[in-house]
Each structure stands twice: as C-alpha cells, then as structure tokens.
Coordinates of all heavy atoms in Angstrom, one line a residue:
M1 N 54.3 121.2 76.1 CA 52.9 121.7 76.1 C 52.0 120.5 76.5 O 52.1 119.4 76.0 CB 52.6 122.3 74.8 CG 51.2 122.9 74.7 SD 51.0 124.0 73.3 CE 50.4 122.9 72.0
A2 N 51.0 120.9 77.3 CA 50.0 119.9 77.7 C 49.1 119.5 76.5 O 49.0 120.2 75.5 CB 49.1 120.5 78.7
E3 N 48.6 118.2 76.5 CA 47.8 117.8 75.4 C 46.4 118.3 75.3 O 45.8 118.3 74.3 CB 47.8 116.2 75.4 CG 49.1 115.6 75.1 CD 49.0 114.1 75.0 OE1 47.9 113.6 74.7 OE2 50.0 113.4 75.4
E4 N 46.0 118.8 76.5 CA 44.6 119.3 76.6 C 44.6 120.6 77.3 O 45.3 120.8 78.3 CB 43.8 118.3 77.3 CG 42.3 118.6 77.5 CD 41.5 117.5 78.2 OE1 41.8 116.4 78.0 OE2 40.6 117.9 78.9
L5 N 43.8 121.6 76.9 CA 43.6 122.9 77.6 C 42.5 122.7 78.6 O 41.4 122.7 78.2 CB 43.3 124.0 76.6 CG 43.3 125.4 77.1 CD1 44.7 125.8 77.6 CD2 42.9 126.4 76.0
D6 N 42.8 122.7 79.9 CA 41.9 122.4 80.9 C 41.7 123.5 81.9 O 41.6 123.4 83.1 CB 42.3 121.1 81.7 CG 43.7 121.3 82.4 OD1 44.4 122.3 82.1 OD2 44.1 120.4 83.2
I7 N 41.7 124.7 81.3 CA 41.8 125.9 82.2 C 40.5 126.0 83.1 O 40.7 126.4 84.2 CB 41.9 127.2 81.3 CG1 43.3 127.2 80.7 CG2 41.7 128.5 82.1 CD1 43.6 128.3 79.7
E8 N 39.4 125.8 82.5 CA 38.1 125.9 83.4 C 38.1 124.9 84.5 O 37.7 125.2 85.6 CB 36.9 125.6 82.5 CG 36.4 126.8 81.8 CD 35.0 126.5 81.1 OE1 35.0 125.8 80.1 OE2 34.0 127.0 81.7
E9 N 38.7 123.7 84.3 CA 38.8 122.7 85.4 C 39.8 123.1 86.4 O 39.7 122.8 87.6 CB 39.2 121.3 84.8 CG 38.1 120.7 84.0 CD 37.9 121.3 82.6 OE1 38.9 121.9 82.1 OE2 36.9 121.1 82.0
R10 N 40.9 123.8 86.0 CA 41.9 124.2 86.9 C 41.5 125.4 87.8 O 41.9 125.4 89.0 CB 43.2 124.6 86.1 CG 43.9 123.4 85.5 CD 44.9 123.9 84.5 NE 46.2 124.0 85.0 CZ 47.3 124.3 84.3 NH1 47.2 124.6 83.0 NH2 48.5 124.4 84.9
W11 N 40.8 126.3 87.2 CA 40.4 127.5 88.0 C 39.0 127.9 87.7 O 38.6 128.9 87.2 CB 41.3 128.7 87.6 CG 42.8 128.4 87.8 CD1 43.4 128.3 89.0 CD2 43.8 128.3 86.8 NE1 44.7 128.0 88.8 CE2 45.0 128.1 87.4 CE3 43.8 128.4 85.4 CZ2 46.2 127.9 86.7 CZ3 45.0 128.3 84.7 CH2 46.2 128.0 85.4
P12 N 38.1 127.0 88.2 CA 36.6 127.2 87.9 C 36.1 128.5 88.5 O 35.2 129.2 88.0 CB 35.9 126.0 88.5 CG 36.9 125.5 89.5 CD 38.3 125.8 88.9
E13 N 36.7 129.0 89.6 CA 36.3 130.2 90.3 C 36.5 131.4 89.4 O 35.8 132.5 89.6 CB 37.0 130.4 91.6 CG 38.5 130.7 91.5 CD 39.4 129.6 91.3 OE1 39.0 128.4 91.0 OE2 40.6 129.8 91.3
L14 N 37.4 131.4 88.5 CA 37.6 132.5 87.5 C 36.6 132.6 86.4 O 36.3 133.7 85.9 CB 39.0 132.4 86.9 CG 40.2 132.4 87.9 CD1 41.5 132.3 87.1 CD2 40.2 133.7 88.8
F15 N 35.9 131.5 86.2 CA 34.9 131.4 85.1 C 33.5 131.5 85.7 O 32.6 131.9 84.9 CB 35.0 130.1 84.3 CG 36.3 130.1 83.5 CD1 37.5 129.7 84.0 CD2 36.3 130.6 82.2 CE1 38.7 129.7 83.3 CE2 37.5 130.6 81.4 CZ 38.7 130.1 82.0
A16 N 33.3 131.3 86.9 CA 32.0 131.3 87.6 C 31.3 132.6 87.3 O 30.1 132.6 87.0 CB 32.0 131.0 89.0
P17 N 31.9 133.8 87.5 CA 31.2 135.1 87.3 C 30.9 135.5 85.8 O 30.3 136.5 85.6 CB 32.1 136.1 88.0 CG 33.3 135.5 88.4 CD 33.3 134.0 88.0
L18 N 31.5 134.7 84.9 CA 31.4 135.1 83.5 C 30.0 134.6 82.9 O 29.6 133.5 83.2 CB 32.5 134.5 82.7 CG 33.9 134.9 83.0 CD1 34.9 134.1 82.2 CD2 34.1 136.4 82.9
D19 N 29.4 135.4 82.0 CA 28.3 134.9 81.3 C 28.8 134.1 80.2 O 30.0 133.9 79.9 CB 27.3 136.1 80.9 CG 27.9 137.0 79.8 OD1 28.8 136.6 79.1 OD2 27.5 138.2 79.8
D20 N 27.9 133.5 79.4 CA 28.2 132.6 78.3 C 29.1 133.2 77.3 O 30.1 132.6 76.8 CB 27.0 132.0 77.7 CG 26.9 130.5 77.8 OD1 27.6 129.9 78.6 OD2 26.0 129.9 77.1
V21 N 28.7 134.4 76.9 CA 29.5 135.1 75.8 C 30.9 135.5 76.3 O 31.9 135.3 75.6 CB 28.8 136.4 75.4 CG1 29.6 137.3 74.5 CG2 27.5 136.1 74.7
Q22 N 31.0 136.0 77.5 CA 32.3 136.3 78.1 C 33.2 135.0 78.3 O 34.4 135.0 77.9 CB 32.1 136.9 79.5 CG 31.5 138.3 79.5 CD 31.0 138.8 80.9 OE1 30.8 137.9 81.7 NE2 30.9 140.1 81.0
R23 N 32.6 134.0 78.8 CA 33.3 132.7 78.9 C 33.8 132.2 77.6 O 35.0 131.8 77.5 CB 32.3 131.7 79.6 CG 33.0 130.3 79.8 CD 31.9 129.3 80.4 NE 32.2 128.0 79.9 CZ 31.9 127.5 78.7 NH1 31.3 128.2 77.8 NH2 32.3 126.3 78.4
R24 N 33.0 132.2 76.6 CA 33.5 131.7 75.3 C 34.6 132.6 74.7 O 35.6 132.1 74.1 CB 32.4 131.7 74.3 CG 31.5 130.4 74.4 CD 30.6 130.2 73.3 NE 29.7 131.3 73.0 CZ 28.5 131.5 73.5 NH1 28.0 130.6 74.4 NH2 27.7 132.5 73.2
A25 N 34.5 133.9 74.9 CA 35.6 134.9 74.5 C 36.9 134.6 75.2 O 37.9 134.6 74.5 CB 35.1 136.3 74.7
V26 N 36.8 134.4 76.5 CA 38.0 134.2 77.3 C 38.6 132.9 76.8 O 39.8 132.8 76.6 CB 37.7 134.2 78.8 CG1 38.9 133.7 79.6 CG2 37.4 135.6 79.2
L27 N 37.8 131.8 76.7 CA 38.3 130.5 76.3 C 39.0 130.5 74.9 O 40.0 129.9 74.7 CB 37.2 129.4 76.4 CG 36.9 129.0 77.8 CD1 35.6 128.1 77.8 CD2 38.0 128.4 78.6
Q28 N 38.3 131.2 74.0 CA 38.9 131.3 72.6 C 40.2 132.0 72.7 O 41.2 131.6 72.0 CB 37.9 132.0 71.7 CG 38.3 132.0 70.3 CD 38.4 130.6 69.7 OE1 37.6 129.8 69.8 NE2 39.6 130.4 69.1
S29 N 40.3 133.1 73.4 CA 41.6 133.9 73.5 C 42.7 133.0 74.1 O 43.8 133.0 73.6 CB 41.4 135.1 74.3 OG 40.5 136.0 73.7
L30 N 42.3 132.3 75.1 CA 43.3 131.4 75.8 C 43.7 130.3 74.9 O 44.9 129.9 74.8 CB 42.8 130.9 77.1 CG 42.5 132.0 78.2 CD1 41.8 131.4 79.4 CD2 43.8 132.7 78.6
A31 N 42.8 129.7 74.2 CA 43.1 128.5 73.3 C 44.0 129.0 72.2 O 44.9 128.3 71.8 CB 41.8 128.0 72.7
N32 N 43.7 130.2 71.6 CA 44.6 130.7 70.6 C 46.0 130.9 71.1 O 47.0 130.5 70.4 CB 44.1 132.0 70.1 CG 42.9 131.9 69.2 OD1 42.5 130.9 68.7 ND2 42.1 133.1 69.1
A33 N 46.2 131.4 72.3 CA 47.5 131.6 72.8 C 48.2 130.2 73.1 O 49.4 130.0 72.9 CB 47.4 132.4 74.1
W34 N 47.4 129.3 73.6 CA 47.9 128.0 74.0 C 48.4 127.3 72.7 O 49.5 126.6 72.8 CB 46.8 127.2 74.7 CG 47.1 125.8 75.1 CD1 48.0 125.4 76.1 CD2 46.7 124.6 74.5 NE1 48.1 124.1 76.1 CE2 47.2 123.5 75.2 CE3 45.7 124.3 73.5 CZ2 46.9 122.2 74.9 CZ3 45.4 123.0 73.2 CH2 46.0 121.9 73.9
H35 N 47.7 127.4 71.6 CA 48.1 126.8 70.4 C 49.4 127.4 69.8 O 50.1 126.8 69.0 CB 47.0 126.8 69.3 CG 45.9 125.8 69.5 ND1 46.1 124.5 69.4 CD2 44.7 126.0 69.9 CE1 45.0 123.9 69.6 NE2 44.1 124.7 69.9
E36 N 49.7 128.6 70.3 CA 51.0 129.2 69.9 C 52.1 128.9 70.9 O 53.2 129.5 70.8 CB 50.8 130.8 69.8 CG 49.8 131.2 68.7 CD 50.4 130.9 67.3 OE1 51.6 131.0 67.1 OE2 49.6 130.5 66.5
G37 N 51.8 128.1 71.9 CA 52.9 127.7 72.8 C 52.8 128.2 74.2 O 53.6 127.9 75.1
W38 N 51.8 129.1 74.5 CA 51.6 129.7 75.8 C 51.2 128.6 76.8 O 50.3 127.8 76.5 CB 50.6 130.8 75.8 CG 50.2 131.4 77.1 CD1 50.9 132.2 77.9 CD2 49.0 131.1 77.7 NE1 50.2 132.5 79.0 CE2 49.0 131.8 78.9 CE3 47.9 130.3 77.5 CZ2 47.9 131.8 79.8 CZ3 46.8 130.3 78.4 CH2 46.8 131.0 79.5
E39 N 51.8 128.6 78.0 CA 51.4 127.7 79.0 C 50.5 128.4 80.0 O 50.9 129.5 80.5 CB 52.6 127.2 79.8 CG 53.4 126.1 79.0 CD 52.6 124.8 78.7 OE1 51.9 124.4 79.6 OE2 52.7 124.3 77.6
P40 N 49.3 127.9 80.3 CA 48.4 128.6 81.2 C 49.0 128.9 82.6 O 49.6 128.0 83.2 CB 47.2 127.7 81.3 CG 47.4 126.7 80.1 CD 48.8 126.7 79.8
N41 N 48.6 130.0 83.1 CA 48.9 130.4 84.5 C 47.8 131.2 85.1 O 47.1 131.8 84.3 CB 50.3 131.1 84.6 CG 50.2 132.5 84.0 OD1 49.7 133.4 84.5 ND2 50.8 132.6 82.8
R42 N 47.6 131.0 86.3 CA 46.4 131.6 87.0 C 46.3 133.1 86.8 O 45.2 133.7 86.5 CB 46.3 131.3 88.4 CG 45.0 131.6 89.1 CD 44.9 131.3 90.5 NE 43.6 131.4 91.0 CZ 42.9 132.5 91.2 NH1 43.4 133.6 90.8 NH2 41.6 132.4 91.7
E43 N 47.4 133.8 86.9 CA 47.5 135.3 86.8 C 46.9 135.8 85.4 O 46.1 136.7 85.4 CB 48.8 135.8 87.1 CG 49.0 137.3 87.0 CD 50.4 137.8 87.3 OE1 51.4 137.0 87.2 OE2 50.5 138.9 87.8
D44 N 47.4 135.2 84.4 CA 47.0 135.6 83.0 C 45.5 135.3 82.8 O 44.8 136.1 82.2 CB 47.8 134.9 82.0 CG 49.3 135.3 81.8 OD1 49.6 136.4 82.4 OD2 50.0 134.6 81.2
V45 N 45.0 134.2 83.3 CA 43.6 133.8 83.1 C 42.8 134.7 83.9 O 41.7 135.2 83.4 CB 43.4 132.3 83.5 CG1 41.9 132.0 83.5 CG2 44.2 131.4 82.6
E46 N 43.2 135.1 85.1 CA 42.4 136.0 86.0 C 42.3 137.4 85.4 O 41.3 138.0 85.3 CB 43.0 136.0 87.4 CG 42.3 136.9 88.3 CD 42.8 136.9 89.7 OE1 43.9 136.5 89.9 OE2 42.1 137.4 90.6
N47 N 43.4 137.8 84.8 CA 43.5 139.2 84.2 C 42.5 139.2 83.0 O 41.8 140.2 82.8 CB 44.9 139.6 83.8 CG 45.7 139.9 85.1 OD1 45.2 140.2 86.1 ND2 47.0 139.8 84.9
L48 N 42.6 138.2 82.2 CA 41.7 138.2 81.0 C 40.2 138.1 81.4 O 39.4 138.8 80.8 CB 42.1 137.0 80.1 CG 41.4 137.0 78.7 CD1 41.7 138.3 78.0 CD2 41.9 135.9 77.9
A49 N 40.0 137.3 82.4 CA 38.5 137.1 82.9 C 38.1 138.5 83.5 O 36.9 138.9 83.2 CB 38.4 136.0 83.9
D50 N 38.9 139.1 84.2 CA 38.6 140.5 84.8 C 38.3 141.5 83.7 O 37.4 142.3 83.8 CB 39.7 141.0 85.7 CG 39.8 140.4 87.0 OD1 38.9 139.6 87.4 OD2 40.8 140.6 87.7
R51 N 39.1 141.4 82.6 CA 38.9 142.3 81.5 C 37.6 142.0 80.8 O 36.8 142.9 80.4 CB 40.1 142.2 80.5 CG 39.9 143.0 79.2 CD 40.0 144.5 79.5 NE 39.7 145.3 78.3 CZ 38.6 146.1 78.2 NH1 37.8 146.3 79.2 NH2 38.4 146.7 77.1
A52 N 37.3 140.7 80.6 CA 36.1 140.3 79.9 C 34.8 140.8 80.7 O 33.8 141.2 80.1 CB 36.0 138.8 79.7
R53 N 34.9 140.7 82.0 CA 33.8 141.1 82.9 C 33.6 142.7 83.0 O 32.7 143.2 83.6 CB 33.9 140.5 84.3 CG 33.7 139.1 84.3 CD 33.6 138.5 85.8 NE 34.8 138.9 86.5 CZ 34.7 139.3 87.8 NH1 33.6 139.5 88.4 NH2 35.8 139.6 88.4
G54 N 34.7 143.4 82.6 CA 34.6 144.8 82.8 C 35.1 145.3 84.1 O 34.9 146.5 84.4
V55 N 35.7 144.4 84.9 CA 36.2 144.8 86.2 C 37.4 145.7 86.0 O 37.7 146.6 86.9 CB 36.6 143.6 87.0 CG1 37.3 143.9 88.3 CG2 35.4 142.7 87.2
I56 N 38.2 145.5 84.9 CA 39.3 146.4 84.7 C 39.2 146.9 83.2 O 38.6 146.2 82.4 CB 40.7 145.7 84.9 CG1 40.8 144.4 84.0 CG2 40.9 145.3 86.3 CD1 42.2 143.8 84.0
D57 N 39.8 148.0 83.0 CA 39.8 148.5 81.6 C 41.0 148.1 80.8 O 41.9 147.4 81.4 CB 39.7 150.0 81.5 CG 40.9 150.8 82.2 OD1 41.9 150.2 82.4 OD2 40.7 152.0 82.4
M58 N 41.2 148.4 79.6 CA 42.3 147.9 78.7 C 43.6 148.4 79.3 O 44.6 147.7 79.3 CB 42.1 148.3 77.3 CG 43.2 147.8 76.4 SD 43.4 146.0 76.4 CE 42.1 145.6 75.2
D59 N 43.6 149.7 79.7 CA 44.9 150.2 80.2 C 45.4 149.4 81.5 O 46.6 149.0 81.5 CB 44.7 151.7 80.6 CG 44.6 152.6 79.5 OD1 45.1 152.2 78.3 OD2 44.1 153.7 79.6
E60 N 44.4 149.0 82.4 CA 44.8 148.2 83.5 C 45.2 146.8 83.1 O 46.2 146.2 83.6 CB 43.7 148.2 84.5 CG 43.9 147.3 85.7 CD 45.1 147.7 86.6 OE1 45.7 148.9 86.4 OE2 45.5 147.0 87.5
Y61 N 44.5 146.3 82.2 CA 44.9 144.9 81.7 C 46.3 144.9 81.1 O 47.1 144.1 81.4 CB 43.9 144.5 80.6 CG 44.2 143.2 80.0 CD1 44.0 142.0 80.6 CD2 44.8 143.1 78.7 CE1 44.3 140.7 80.1 CE2 45.2 141.9 78.1 CZ 44.9 140.7 78.8 OH 45.3 139.5 78.3
L62 N 46.6 145.9 80.3 CA 47.9 146.0 79.7 C 49.0 146.3 80.7 O 50.1 145.7 80.7 CB 48.0 147.1 78.6 CG 47.1 146.8 77.4 CD1 47.1 148.0 76.4 CD2 47.6 145.5 76.6
R63 N 48.7 147.1 81.7 CA 49.6 147.3 82.8 C 50.0 146.1 83.6 O 51.1 145.7 83.8 CB 49.1 148.4 83.8 CG 50.1 148.8 84.9 CD 49.4 149.5 86.1 NE 48.5 148.6 86.8 CZ 49.0 147.7 87.7 NH1 50.3 147.4 87.8 NH2 48.1 146.9 88.4
R64 N 48.9 145.3 83.9 CA 49.1 144.0 84.6 C 49.9 143.0 83.7 O 50.8 142.3 84.3 CB 47.8 143.4 84.9 CG 47.0 144.1 86.0 CD 45.7 143.3 86.3 NE 44.9 144.0 87.3 CZ 43.8 143.4 87.7 NH1 43.3 142.2 87.3 NH2 43.0 144.1 88.6
A65 N 49.6 143.0 82.5 CA 50.3 142.1 81.5 C 51.8 142.4 81.4 O 52.7 141.5 81.5 CB 49.7 142.1 80.2
R66 N 52.1 143.7 81.3 CA 53.5 144.2 81.3 C 54.3 143.9 82.6 O 55.4 143.3 82.6 CB 53.6 145.7 81.0 CG 53.4 146.0 79.6 CD 53.7 147.5 79.3 NE 52.9 148.4 80.0 CZ 51.7 148.9 79.6 NH1 51.3 148.6 78.4 NH2 51.0 149.7 80.3
E67 N 53.6 144.1 83.7 CA 54.2 143.8 85.0 C 54.5 142.3 85.2 O 55.5 141.9 85.6 CB 53.2 144.3 86.1 CG 53.7 144.2 87.5 CD 52.7 144.7 88.5 OE1 52.7 145.9 88.7 OE2 51.9 143.9 89.0
A68 N 53.5 141.5 84.8 CA 53.7 140.0 84.8 C 54.9 139.6 83.9 O 55.7 138.8 84.3 CB 52.4 139.3 84.5
A69 N 54.9 140.1 82.7 CA 56.0 139.8 81.8 C 57.3 140.2 82.3 O 58.3 139.4 82.3 CB 55.7 140.4 80.4
D70 N 57.4 141.4 82.9 CA 58.7 141.8 83.5 C 59.1 141.0 84.6 O 60.2 140.6 84.8 CB 58.5 143.3 83.9 CG 58.5 144.3 82.8 OD1 58.7 143.9 81.6 OD2 58.1 145.5 83.1
R71 N 58.2 140.6 85.5 CA 58.4 139.7 86.6 C 58.9 138.4 86.2 O 59.9 137.9 86.7 CB 57.2 139.6 87.5 CG 57.4 139.1 88.9 CD 56.2 139.1 89.8 NE 55.0 138.6 89.2 CZ 54.0 139.4 88.7 NH1 54.0 140.7 88.8 NH2 52.9 138.8 88.2
R72 N 58.3 137.8 85.2 CA 58.7 136.5 84.7 C 60.0 136.5 84.0 O 60.9 135.6 84.1 CB 57.6 135.9 83.7 CG 56.4 135.5 84.4 CD 55.3 135.0 83.5 NE 54.0 134.9 84.2 CZ 52.9 135.5 83.7 NH1 52.9 136.1 82.6 NH2 51.8 135.4 84.5
A73 N 60.3 137.6 83.3 CA 61.6 137.8 82.7 C 62.7 137.8 83.7 O 63.8 137.3 83.6 CB 61.6 139.0 81.7
G74 N 62.4 138.5 84.8 CA 63.4 138.6 85.9 C 63.6 137.3 86.6 O 64.7 137.0 87.0
D75 N 62.6 136.5 86.6 CA 62.7 135.1 87.3 C 63.6 134.2 86.4 O 64.2 133.3 86.9 CB 61.3 134.5 87.4 CG 60.5 135.1 88.4 OD1 61.0 135.9 89.2 OD2 59.2 134.9 88.5
Q76 N 63.7 134.5 85.1 CA 64.5 133.6 84.2 C 66.0 134.1 84.1 O 66.8 133.4 83.7 CB 63.9 133.6 82.8 CG 62.6 132.9 82.8 CD 61.9 133.0 81.4 OE1 62.6 133.4 80.4 NE2 60.7 132.6 81.3
G77 N 66.2 135.3 84.6 CA 67.6 135.8 84.4 C 68.4 135.8 85.6 O 68.7 135.2 86.4

C-alpha cells in the first residue's frame, strides 16, 4: 500500500468538475477504502466522482462496480 493517498494529483481531471462538498465526500470515501487496503484505480475514482456529481444514479454506479469487480476477478484467475 502506498504511504500517501494522492488521488487528486493522479487524476485531477476527475475532481475538476466537483464542487467543494462533492470533492470532500469523494475524497473521504476513497480515503476510507484506502485505509482498508484498497489500491486506487482510475475507473473506481471516476465512477465515484460521476455518482457524486449526479451524472449516474445508484443503480448505474452499482452496475459499474459489479462489472469492474467481475472483470478484475477474471484477470486474476
């Protein structure tokens, strides 16, 4: 696990459209996951940012998350 969570620096374009409240909510969610061992990837960050902005609804967010998890599981097997 990286020593520092540098998601905004890695993908600033994903945070640019967020207002302050959305940005803090996304960062807090990602930080919580990171402290539990999750390694940041662009797809997950983009999906959470899209959800925070209201670009996608919860059903679409969950669909994307399941699809990504299935794809990653297939990559490991």
Side-chain angles (χ1 to χ4, degrees):
M1 183 162 90
E3 290 185 28
E4 182 178 325
L5 187 63
D6 60 352
I7 291 176
E8 275 189 287
E9 290 80 19
R10 289 166 94 177
W11 302 295
E13 70 280 6
L14 300 179
F15 291 87
L18 300 176
D19 65 28
D20 243 12
V21 172
Q22 293 166 335
R23 183 183 144 277
R24 282 193 302 268
V26 169
L27 287 174
Q28 185 63 48
S29 295
L30 297 172
N32 289 340
W34 180 69
H35 283 291
E36 295 294 322
W38 170 78
E39 287 294 323
N41 65 76
R42 190 182 194 291
E43 182 179 22
D44 289 346
V45 175
E46 182 175 15
N47 289 338
L48 190 56
D50 284 351
R51 176 68 187 120
R53 288 189 305 134
V55 174
I56 60 174
D57 64 12
M58 183 58 85
D59 288 340
E60 176 63 11
Y61 176 78
L62 294 173
R63 186 196 68 73
R64 289 182 184 186
R66 281 190 299 269
E67 184 179 277
D70 289 347
R71 194 171 50 254
R72 289 181 195 126
D75 289 346
Q76 294 176 8

